[in-house]
Amino acid sequence: MVSIILPVYNASNCLHQCIDSILQQSYCGLELIIVDDGSSDGSGVICDNYAKKDKRVKVIHQENSGVNMARYRGLMAANGDWASFVDADDVLLPNAIELLMNNSDGFDLVSGTYAVTDSNLLHPKPYSQWIKEEGIFTGEEFVYGLLNSTRLPNMYRQLIKMDILKAHYILLPREIKIFEDFLFNVNLGLYLTKIKGIPDLVYYYRMQDKSVVHTYKQSLRDAEKIDEVLEEVLKGREQFEGNLLKHRIGEIKRFIADPHLHEASFVKKALKTNKQHSLQFSDRLTLFLCDKHILTRKVIWKCFLLTSFAIVRLRKFIK
């Protein structure tokens, strides 16, 4: 049995396509747990109508509590041996679960690939080329990939053993509104033994301009909260210290133009640990700029980016 967990919040415009793509899977042994997270647009009624027509569908209604809690509620109500998560504005390809299950023997997690589409599910485009998920990995390699941005942080497109999920589900602070999937997967990876990534396309991610991912503007305080959770998750695991530092430097680069950057706790932690690790020039420059005046920081960083871009173009021209 595969349990598909579907959190729903005000997704009435695309919910039918999503649910239909799940119930029409070629794999027969599945149940669908829908968690209506306090929708106000009629999504809850749509979900209830599906439950009346199909005995594989179970609907849970809750006050708006966020996607992390919605997934948890769905997971606790699930009866499957495996779990897969789907977002309400996306769709599964018809044989997605079958493809993942056919590759699941002996593994704790199996992942497929996904494509980004427009609101009409047209013009699918594959994800970034630097992602390296195809193959067989250990749990440590899974976490390394997430911290190094060579693995996708998203929950969807994966099939995960239910007993591991239920034992190690992490409930995140409600104020974290972005990067929940990243934090969840890092924590999960610590308890996985063997992972498999297949090249097959299993999921369509619909690009929605009004989604949280595209409308929420992350603040420096948000980055601090995320870093606090990440540090707690990796506490006592020295093998990830260098990767955690690199991740923090990546966050510093994103906020290099923030006037309060030098006050952030993760910046202070990065400066404290950087001498213990070998860093590239761009990383050392990033740390050097942390406590400099905002104008100095902006000018030097802009010059560095322009120089790097010119060098890359020159190399391509020479080749």
Side-chain angles (χ1 to χ4, degrees), residues 53-158:
K53 294 185 293 184
D54 195 316
K55 63 181 182 180
R56 296 174 297 171
V57 181
K58 180 189 294 185
V59 181
I60 299 169
H61 298 279
Q62 66 176 28
E63 292 184 6
N64 183 248
S65 305
V67 66
N68 181 250
M69 178 56 74
R71 286 170 175 164
Y72 177 75
R73 289 286 304 278
L75 196 62
M76 292 303 105
N79 298 302
D81 306 295
W82 293 84
S84 188
F85 296 93
V86 176
D87 289 349
D89 46 1
D90 302 333
V91 298
L92 283 176
L93 270 67
N95 61 341
I97 300 301
E98 183 179 5
L99 283 169
L100 294 171
M101 281 300 296
N102 286 345
N103 287 275
S104 64
D105 190 28
F107 296 95
D108 298 327
L109 181 148
V110 183
S111 64
T113 67
Y114 80 96
V116 178
T117 73
D118 58 22
S119 58
N120 297 314
L121 299 177
L122 300 174
H123 314 297
K125 296 179 181 179
Y127 59 77
S128 304
Q129 60 183 2
W130 61 79
I131 298 299
K132 303 184 184 302
E133 285 192 0
E134 187 178 344
I136 296 175
F137 307 91
T138 64
E140 280 195 3
E141 289 170 331
F142 180 90
V143 176
Y144 286 139
L146 290 165
L147 294 172
N148 297 336
S149 299
T150 57
R151 183 174 186 90
L152 295 164
N154 320 96
M155 292 288 289
Y156 51 75
R157 94 210 175 279
Q158 298 182 148

Side-chain angles (χ1 to χ4, degrees), residues 182-231:
F182 168 73
L183 294 171
F184 184 92
N185 273 316
V186 169
N187 181 73
L188 179 66
L190 300 176
Y191 305 99
L192 300 175
T193 302
K194 205 171 180 183
I195 298 107
K196 185 174 185 179
I198 62 175
D200 304 86
L201 184 65
V202 298
Y203 196 95
Y204 274 174
Y205 171 80
R206 195 195 308 253
M207 187 67 74
Q208 298 275 45
D209 293 336
K210 294 183 179 180
S211 67
V212 173
V213 173
H214 298 105
T215 59
Y216 186 79
K217 187 175 181 180
Q218 187 183 2
S219 68
L220 196 61
R221 182 57 184 152
D222 292 327
E224 285 189 292
K225 281 287 184 184
I226 292 166
D227 186 77
E228 287 170 10
V229 175
L230 186 59
E231 183 178 47

Side-chain angles (χ1 to χ4, degrees), residues 8-22:
V8 173
Y9 177 71
N10 290 349
S12 60
N13 62 321
C14 52
L15 191 53
H16 285 289
Q17 281 183 312
C18 177
I19 296 177
D20 287 342
S21 77
I22 295 170

